[in-house]
Amino acid sequence: MEILVNVVCGYVVDEVGKFVRQCVENIVSFSSKIENLRQEMEKITKLRDDIKGKVKKDEGEGYKPKPDVIKWIEDVSELENEWETMQENIAAAKTLIYRCCPNCGLRSEVWTQAQNSIQVKLCSLKNDGESFGSNLMEENYRMEKVEHLPGPSTNDQPAARRNLHKILQHLENDEVGIIGVWGAGGIGKTTLVKNLNNELKQIDVSIRSKLSFGVVIWVTVPKPPIDIRKVQAQIADRLNIKVNTDQGSEESNASKIYQRLKQEKSVLVILDDVWEAIDLDDVGVPQPKDHAGSKVIITSRFLDVCNQMKIDTEMKVYTLDENESWALFIKNVGDVANRMDIEPLAMEIARECDGLPLAITVIGASMRGKKRVEQWKDALESLRKSEPNATYVRDKVYKVIKWSYDSLEQRGHDIQSCFLYCSLYPAFIQTNDLIHCWWAEGFLGEHDTYEKVCNRGITIIEELKNGCLLEKDGMDSSVKMHDVVRDVAIWIDKSISQNAKRMSSICNKIEHLPDNLTEGPETTTLLLQENTSLMKIPDEFFLSFPVLRVLNLSGTGITALPCSINKLRQLHALILQNCRMLKGLPSIGNLCNLQLLDCDNTELCYLPEGMDKLTNLRLLNMPVDELKCSIDLGVFNKLQRLELLHLPIIQRCVVGATSFDKISHLPNLTSLLIYLDRSTISILESDQTWMKRLKSFHITVGNTNTHEVGFNKSTRAICLSGFDIFNNKVWLSSMLQFASYLYLELCMGLTEFFQNNSFDGLKSLDIRCCSCDFGPSIEGSGQFDDPLPNLKYLSFYFVDHLKSVSDLGHFLGLRFSKLRKLHISHCRTLTCLFNVGGAFSVPRHLEEISLSHCDNLTELLAQFGSSQTTFISSEIPRVRKLRLCNLYALRTFGEPESMWEHLEELEVIGCYRIRKLPLSIQTSNNIKLIKGSSQWRSQLEWVHDNFKSNLEHCFTDI
């Protein structure tokens, strides 16, 4: 018994000792692990704070943090909050309680929670944070400090260069914050400050450090009444920030702009063409007196405006002296003015311009190419006889512009009318809208075809541009009229005695219209577009305009038109674009002379009554998104004079095969935009040879977003979505004979279709989200040698099983003999672009390549077999532009080096494995621009330092 007691006691003592030791170890281990975790938390919060500091610094330079960096910072903050929440439980678990430490269980529970909620997340966040390195910001977001502004250079004009250097000196003066540049209209103020802007882009700031601005902002100030929001919108767009354009948002916008500009150590804001004083505080531009780095330049015709804006110094821009005037005149008129018999007359004409750059440019351009002395004598006599106006500006400017207007008479009265019509618009004018209105007014020949009307309209626009009465807007779709020229046109129009009157209140914030207008009986044009607050038109309003020919209500807030619209029997053009609240039209059957009806981007729910009576209708743009699906589109078949029929349908409704066949019988149709019902394609007539007479068409089958397919008078596009191409090959083959553009999305039967058909007219092929087997095939398996012999543009987007363009060409029998542009994006199976050698080489006429987000692309050119390819000089591809974006596996451009000797522009974004340029000293003669991040640029490897220095001027950071 004693032995048993001793054994039991010994066991108990051992177990108690063991338990106590475990408790002590638990206490020590728990505290140690918690302390380690606390230290790790301090490290990651410090890393978070460091990254936030770097982000804040770079944001001040015009970058923004990457989304994963923002998410990481937020996740660390959430983890920090969880850690703080656990501190009370950790403190309780550390406390020793008598009676064998019952807190041991609590410690275990708390540590388990710490492991699951903190330690695991911390480890992941730590790895992610350390992997960022310096790659925190969006590389393509960097805001250029100075953006180049297109315009004429003043390098050969000494007076303008003196003025420019004078402004630069003012900018370097710490006592000067606001500079006022003023002078007459057309004197060259805008040209001067544009050249100043561009000079700041080129200037060596290491020498003139005070001219180093964090950002230079150009704003074209709208005419009075000035809408501050439009000024704010231009500044915000330059700064890559968003502002509210709704009414009453000026104050919040100003605060946002102010806070952003205050981040810059220095900023220059150029406010061009200011007609009335602007409060900089209302805009959000920091006052120079409050922000030492803030500078402002304003240009205005009026010194009073400059003074009201509290300028620190003013600089008047004067006319050119005789020598500079002559030099500018020669520049515009050409060498013909230097002929012995013409030079004296030319110098007299230049003197008549009195040193005004705009006048010199206009007159010089108008005399260019005129070689008869009689023409120069007549021009000089006409200038001298111009009736002067009372004011200085009209005396020195208007008579010169009016002479240019008078000179249009020899080209016909209509071109003069077209010029005066342009004065009804603000600065920027859409050419299509202008031509349509000219046509409706009868300036372009009412009975010609629409194609001839457009040709004549474009010709007139080009003539007006050549005479400097209109200016190019940078895009072919619009033009602009210089404000002085517009003033002259309005002045001329008022002085002409004519019966026809035209009224324009474009973008005038009109909210209400009068019931009737006494001046309406002779009005032929009424332009009310872009008055978004105009919600209703009085019932009898249109009774005041019995001879109205043009009515434009685009961009207004109207929900309906009054029945009095049906009384406009002389109406030729009814334009209702972007009336997004317009759901219906009244009866329009009496509009028997209507030629153009444009309801694009409206919400019409039904076709207006009497449409079948519009027998003179030539152009119809009628969206049928919201129209009842039961609508009989056969009504269009009664409009036998229709030349242009656009039925944009995006979502709910499409046109059935029966209606399409009826539309195909319109005898004068030359332009068609339509969406066809995919389910009824099979019953379409197989013979589509009627499409041969179409000058342009955009035919879409199925619901697809084809906004990237631009539509103009030369577009001949077929867009298919979710379509079995091979099983509809008869109908499609018939249509494709007349198409130049084919867009395919989620389509089937592609390879079989092209292997057994040939389309000589197809010039552009865009394949998206398709899965095709482009694997090796038996050579010559297709029926035709090259199914797409004239293909110039090829694009792939999310195409599966595409390993190389060479495989595709080999499989389909494509030779790419005329291919100019190649774009490939998000093709995950693409491993190389071209297999060079064997029977296939790089298309010799290829000029532009764009590749992005192809994760497995390792090289652009891969050698086929063991032989090295040698290009003959005449066969070297002429690739001029190469854009590479987010190709993470790409290591090399491939051989041979001569492949890239014609390269002019290279852009590399997110291709971190590329360490060498595809150029050498011998092959880099043509390169002009290399875009890439500064990080990528710093990692480039160079064979020779001289090569690197030779290309320094080509690099531009992204």
Side-chain angles (χ1 to χ4, degrees):
M1 186 66 176
E2 183 176 328
I3 295 172
L4 179 60
V5 170
N6 289 337
V7 170
V8 170
C9 289
Y11 176 81
V12 170
V13 169
D14 289 339
E15 289 300 308
V16 169
K18 184 177 180 182
F19 178 79
V20 170
R21 285 194 302 274
Q22 287 177 346
C23 288
V24 172
E25 289 174 2
N26 187 278
I27 295 170
V28 175
S29 176
F30 177 81
S31 298
S32 174
K33 287 187 287 187
I34 290 295
E35 177 60 19
N36 291 338
L37 192 58
R38 183 189 64 79
Q39 292 176 4
E40 291 299 317
M41 281 299 302
E42 286 182 355
K43 290 179 181 179
I44 199 167
T45 53
K46 184 179 184 303
L47 179 61
R48 185 268 317 276
D49 293 341
D50 291 342
I51 288 177
K52 285 178 70 174
K54 294 176 182 177
V55 165
K56 185 175 182 180
K57 177 180 179 295
D58 288 342
E59 279 180 324
E61 296 296 327
Y63 290 83
K64 70 176 181 181
K66 291 184 175 180
D68 54 346
V69 174
I70 297 174
K71 180 66 165 54
W72 183 85
I73 292 173
E74 293 172 350
D75 290 344
V76 173
S77 296
E78 289 181 6
L79 184 66
E80 190 178 26
N81 291 336
E82 290 183 36
W83 174 249
E84 292 299 326
T85 303
M86 291 186 62
Q87 294 309 302
E88 186 176 342
N89 290 341
I90 291 173
K94 284 183 177 180
T95 304
L96 284 175
I97 308 297
Y98 63 92
R99 295 183 180 177
C100 297
C101 191
N103 269 15
C104 290
L106 178 59
R107 292 191 192 101
S108 177
E109 180 182 341
V110 169
W111 176 243
T112 300
Q113 182 183 359
Q115 282 183 306
N116 295 337
S117 299
I118 305 295
Q119 194 174 43
V120 174
K121 295 179 183 178
L122 189 150
C123 183
S124 176
L125 288 172
K126 179 182 177 183
N127 292 335
D128 291 343
E130 290 175 348
S131 68
F132 288 143
S134 60
N135 193 18
L136 303 173
M137 313 301 285
E138 292 280 5
E139 294 182 359
N140 61 345
Y141 186 81
R142 191 178 72 83
M143 177 183 63
E144 286 197 11
K145 295 182 178 181
V146 186
E147 288 185 340
H148 178 82
L149 297 174
S153 172
T154 59
N155 288 336
D156 55 353
Q157 300 177 31
R161 298 303 297 177
R162 289 193 297 270
N163 286 334
L164 189 149
H165 291 302
K166 187 175 180 181
I167 299 177
L168 290 174
Q169 290 174 349
H170 287 317
L171 290 175
E172 291 179 300
N173 187 346
D174 294 335
E175 301 300 318
V176 175
I178 306 178
I179 305 168
V181 180
W182 68 284
I187 204 72
K189 304 181 296 295
T190 299
T191 300
L192 173 63
V193 290
K194 278 188 175 180
N195 277 264
L196 167 76
N197 176 91
N198 297 339
E199 186 86 0
L200 291 172
K201 186 176 180 67
Q202 304 295 333
I203 208 160
D204 187 352
V205 295
S206 65
I207 299 174
R208 305 180 72 173
S209 59
K210 290 185 178 180
L211 296 177
S212 175
F213 294 97
V215 61
V216 177
I217 302 172
W218 177 280
V219 179
T220 301
V221 180
K223 296 292 186 295
I226 295 175
D227 189 341
I228 292 297
R229 290 168 297 172
K230 290 184 178 180
V231 177
Q232 293 172 331
Q234 293 183 62
I235 298 175
D237 183 63
R238 178 72 174 89
L239 296 172
N240 294 316
I241 61 177
K242 292 183 178 180
V243 294
N244 195 341
T245 57
D246 294 336
Q247 195 166 359
S249 60
E250 293 92 337
E251 188 173 342
S252 61
N253 290 346
S255 177
K256 186 177 291 186
I257 291 172
Y258 181 84
Q259 294 300 327
R260 173 62 183 86
L261 289 177
K262 286 284 283 186
Q263 295 177 13
E264 300 289 344
K265 293 181 179 178
S266 60
V267 59
L268 172 62
V269 178
I270 302 174
L271 301 173
D272 185 48
D273 200 19
V274 182
W275 282 64
E276 62 182 29
I278 302 173
D279 192 329
L280 296 178
D281 293 330
D282 291 344
V283 177
V285 175
Q287 294 279 1
K289 62 182 180 182
D290 300 325
H291 182 43
S294 180
K295 300 272 187 178
V296 178
I297 296 175
I298 68 170
T299 72
S300 178
R301 296 185 183 187
F302 314 105
L303 180 59
D304 284 347
V305 170
C306 297
N307 289 330
Q308 290 170 24
M309 293 189 64
K310 302 177 182 178
I311 61 173
D312 297 306
T313 186
E314 56 94 4
M315 193 184 80
K316 184 176 180 179
V317 181
Y318 294 92
T319 54
L320 305 178
D321 63 30
E322 188 167 327
N323 291 332
E324 290 179 342
S325 296
W326 177 245
L328 183 59
F329 188 80
I330 289 293
K331 181 179 178 180
N332 283 276
V333 78
D335 291 335
V336 66
N338 288 320
R339 273 178 38 181
M340 187 177 298
D341 54 341
I342 289 178
E343 185 178 45
L345 296 167
M347 294 185 72
E348 286 298 315
I349 290 176
R351 290 192 190 99
E352 286 291 323
C353 296
D354 201 24
L356 188 70
L358 177 62
I360 295 168
T361 302
V362 170
I363 299 300
S366 67
M367 299 303 296
R368 192 175 185 90
K370 294 184 177 179
K371 301 178 181 179
R372 297 290 295 268
V373 172
E374 293 84 354
Q375 291 176 293
W376 286 85
K377 288 181 178 179
D378 181 65
L380 180 58
E381 184 69 16
S382 298
L383 279 173
R384 287 174 173 170
K385 284 185 176 180
S386 295
E387 186 175 332
N389 203 276
T391 66
Y392 173 82
V393 173
R394 291 186 177 181
D395 185 43
K396 298 298 183 180
V397 180
Y398 282 37
K399 69 174 184 178
V400 176
I401 305 300
K402 186 180 184 304
W403 178 86
S404 295
Y405 164 80
D406 292 337
S407 70
L408 295 174
E409 188 174 3
Q410 60 185 348
R411 298 183 178 91
H413 174 71
D414 287 343
I415 192 172
Q416 289 183 314
S417 299
C418 290
F419 166 68
L420 295 178
Y421 202 96
C422 295
S423 67
L424 298 173
Y425 293 83
F428 300 99
I429 313 170
Q430 294 296 318
T431 53
N432 275 347
D433 186 63
L434 190 59
I435 291 172
H436 290 163
C437 292
W438 285 348
W439 182 34
E441 279 277 8
F443 301 156
L444 304 178
E446 294 185 64
H447 304 294
D448 283 338
T449 65
Y450 178 61
E451 181 183 8
K452 292 181 179 179
V453 164
C454 287
N455 293 341
R456 177 61 181 155
I458 293 298
T459 298
I460 289 177
I461 287 174
E462 290 302 314
E463 287 187 18
L464 293 175
K465 285 164 62 176
N466 291 340
C468 295
L469 294 173
L470 285 180
E471 300 175 20
K472 188 177 179 181
D473 181 31
M475 299 181 293
D476 292 335
S477 60
S478 62
V479 292
K480 60 181 179 180
M481 177 177 268
H482 192 282
D483 50 6
V484 176
V485 176
R486 181 180 298 99
D487 292 342
V488 174
I490 294 172
W491 171 67
I492 294 171
D493 199 34
K494 288 180 179 179
S495 66
I496 295 175
S497 176
Q498 58 180 20
N499 293 325
K501 295 181 180 179
R502 301 176 181 93
M503 298 174 60
S504 175
S505 291
I506 300 174
C507 201
N508 272 358
K509 300 183 180 179
I510 294 175
E511 297 182 4
H512 304 285
L513 294 173
D515 290 335
N516 55 70
L517 288 173
T518 57
E519 63 267 33
E522 296 178 348
T523 300
T524 59
T525 287
L526 180 58
L527 305 181
L528 295 171
Q529 58 261 42
E530 306 307 327
N531 289 291
T532 56
S533 298
L534 180 59
M535 303 293 182
K536 184 179 180 181
I537 297 175
D539 293 340
E540 299 184 354
F541 178 76
F542 293 121
L543 298 180
S544 301
F545 303 94
V547 297
L548 196 66
R549 296 172 68 98
V550 178
L551 175 60
N552 194 331
L553 294 165
S554 299
T556 59
I558 59 173
T559 58
L561 288 178
C563 292
S564 59
I565 188 77
N566 206 28
K567 300 294 184 180
L568 301 179
R569 294 179 180 271
Q570 299 301 315
L571 195 65
H572 283 59
L574 177 56
I575 306 171
L576 303 167
Q577 288 184 2
N578 301 312
C579 293
R580 301 184 184 277
M581 304 298 291
L582 183 63
K583 297 185 179 297
L585 294 176
S587 174
I588 58 175
N590 288 340
L591 305 183
C592 54
N593 288 299
L594 196 65
Q595 293 180 321
L596 184 151
L597 176 58
D598 191 344
C599 302
D600 195 23
N601 282 327
T602 61
E603 297 291 322
L604 294 182
C605 297
Y606 53 87
L607 289 179
E609 182 183 343
M611 267 204 67
D612 57 335
K613 295 182 174 61
L614 305 181
T615 55
N616 284 307
L617 201 61
R618 312 272 285 278
L619 277 70
L620 177 60
N621 192 342
M622 180 71 70
V624 288
D625 264 358
E626 300 293 336
L627 292 180
K628 297 176 181 177
C629 291
S630 60
I631 184 173
D632 180 14
L633 294 180
V635 68
F636 299 129
N637 195 41
K638 299 179 181 179
L639 309 178
Q640 292 292 298
R641 296 195 69 187
L642 269 181
E643 297 180 47
L644 182 149
L645 177 59
H646 289 182
L647 302 174
I649 312 169
I650 309 279
Q651 296 177 352
R652 282 172 285 282
C653 295
V654 286
V655 176
T658 302
S659 295
F660 181 74
D661 286 336
K662 289 181 179 179
I663 290 172
S664 70
H665 291 86
L666 292 173
N668 296 300
L669 194 66
T670 59
S671 180
L672 177 65
L673 186 152
I674 198 167
Y675 282 66
L676 298 181
D677 184 359
R678 184 170 56 218
S679 62
T680 63
I681 288 298
S682 58
I683 63 172
L684 273 176
E685 294 181 2
S686 59
D687 183 8
Q688 302 297 332
T689 54
W690 67 274
M691 291 179 61
K692 186 176 182 179
R693 70 172 183 267
L694 295 180
K695 303 295 182 182
S696 63
F697 57 82
H698 189 300
I699 299 174
T700 298
V701 180
N703 296 330
T704 181
N705 183 11
T706 57
H707 64 278
E708 296 180 2
V709 185
F711 187 66
N712 55 49
K713 62 181 180 181
S714 60
T715 300
R716 301 170 66 84
I718 294 178
C719 306
L720 309 175
S721 176
F723 192 73
D724 190 340
I725 297 175
F726 190 70
N727 290 332
N728 291 277
K729 57 186 176 182
V730 175
W731 166 81
L732 183 57
S733 296
S734 179
M735 277 196 172
L736 279 178
Q737 297 300 325
F738 312 104
S740 58
Y741 186 108
L742 179 59
Y743 177 102
L744 304 173
E745 180 182 295
L746 297 169
C747 289
M748 300 161 285
L750 172 64
T751 53
E752 296 89 344
F753 179 73
F754 279 117
Q755 278 185 320
N756 293 280
N757 294 277
S758 180
F759 304 103
D760 293 349
L762 209 59
K763 297 179 180 179
S764 181
L765 177 60
D766 195 334
I767 303 176
R768 298 192 164 217
C769 304
C770 294
S771 179
C772 305
D773 184 8
F774 293 133
S777 65
I778 301 174
E779 189 170 357
S781 61
Q783 182 179 348
F784 299 95
D785 290 338
D786 188 345
L788 303 172
N790 294 302
L791 193 67
K792 293 183 178 180
Y793 172 83
L794 180 61
S795 175
F796 297 100
Y797 179 79
F798 275 110
V799 176
D800 288 340
H801 307 304
L802 176 66
K803 295 183 178 180
S804 76
V805 178
S806 303
D807 287 347
L808 170 67
H810 184 71
F811 185 70
L812 297 181
L814 300 175
R815 297 293 178 264
F816 301 120
S817 58
K818 295 185 178 180
L819 190 66
R820 296 291 190 276
K821 296 182 180 181
L822 175 63
H823 292 185
I824 303 179
S825 177
H826 293 86
C827 293
R828 58 189 178 187
T829 57
L830 190 74
T831 56
C832 77
L833 192 59
F834 296 109
N835 290 315
V836 180
F840 190 86
S841 185
V842 181
R844 58 178 297 190
H845 296 294
L846 189 58
E847 295 179 352
E848 183 176 320
I849 300 174
S850 177
L851 303 170
S852 67
H853 298 90
C854 298
D855 295 342
N856 291 302
L857 181 67
T858 57
E859 54 188 340
L860 301 185
L861 306 178
Q863 293 294 335
F864 184 85
S866 59
S867 61
Q868 295 295 314
T869 300
T870 302
F871 285 114
I872 302 173
S873 60
S874 61
E875 297 179 347
I876 297 175
R878 297 182 175 273
V879 178
R880 304 184 189 281
K881 295 181 180 180
L882 177 61
R883 182 179 182 271
L884 308 174
C885 179
N886 294 328
L887 306 173
Y888 305 118
L890 184 63
R891 300 185 304 271
T892 176
F893 290 85
E895 299 294 341
E897 203 172 67
S898 59
M899 162 75 183
W900 311 106
E901 69 178 32
H902 295 283
L903 200 62
E904 296 176 1
E905 296 182 16
L906 172 64
E907 183 174 335
V908 180
I909 303 173
C911 305
Y912 303 109
R913 294 193 178 187
I914 292 180
R915 299 298 175 88
K916 291 184 179 181
L917 296 178
L919 304 168
S920 65
I921 295 180
Q922 292 76 23
T923 62
S924 62
N925 296 328
N926 294 302
I927 193 72
K928 296 180 177 64
L929 181 64
I930 303 174
K931 292 183 179 181
S933 68
S934 56
Q935 179 186 0
W936 170 73
R937 179 182 173 183
S938 65
Q939 294 176 349
L940 285 175
E941 299 172 1
W942 301 90
V943 177
H944 199 284
D945 288 341
N946 288 342
F947 183 33
K948 178 181 179 181
S949 61
N950 288 344
L951 293 183
E952 284 291 336
H953 70 284
C954 299
F955 280 94
T956 298
D957 290 344
I958 296 177

